[in-house]
Amino acid sequence: MQRSTQLEQDFDANVEPILQSQCNACHAATLAGPTALALTILATPALTGGGDPASSQLLTKGEHEGPAFTASQDSVILQWLEEAQSDGY
């Protein structure tokens, strides 16, 4: 399945900068660029929330000890995940 242009633009403009600033220190090897990162997230049910974006491990962090996102960063990521779900991911 191919991402919608709007979904890609939203990720590149809004989500990817958050992940780069908050996650890059520990996950630099896995943050290989916006397209690869977005596709990895969309292909991983635990990261998309598997039908419930609010339960995404991007937001809940699972067993993670990294820095917390701000409420506004959480909101941006959740909105993108909901957009992806409505696009069929």
Side-chain angles (χ1 to χ4, degrees):
M1 182 180 299
Q2 207 158 11
R3 291 189 296 160
S4 73
T5 301
Q6 188 62 50
L7 186 63
E8 181 177 345
Q9 290 172 355
D10 289 347
F11 182 86
D12 294 349
N14 303 315
V15 177
E16 194 264 344
I18 294 169
L19 299 180
Q20 287 291 340
S21 71
Q22 296 290 90
C23 308
N24 198 44
C26 296
H27 299 283
T30 59
L31 299 178
T35 300
L37 179 58
L39 292 175
T40 297
I41 291 169
L42 294 173
T44 309
L47 296 177
T48 62
D52 178 15
S55 70
S56 163
Q57 283 188 1
L58 286 176
L59 301 174
T60 66
K61 302 276 187 125
E63 300 289 321
H64 195 270
E65 295 182 19
F69 295 131
T70 66
S72 104
Q73 289 171 327
D74 272 349
S75 178
V76 167
I77 294 168
L78 179 59
Q79 181 179 353
W80 182 77
L81 290 168
E82 289 170 342
E83 181 184 349
Q85 183 179 11
S86 72
D87 280 3
Y89 290 97

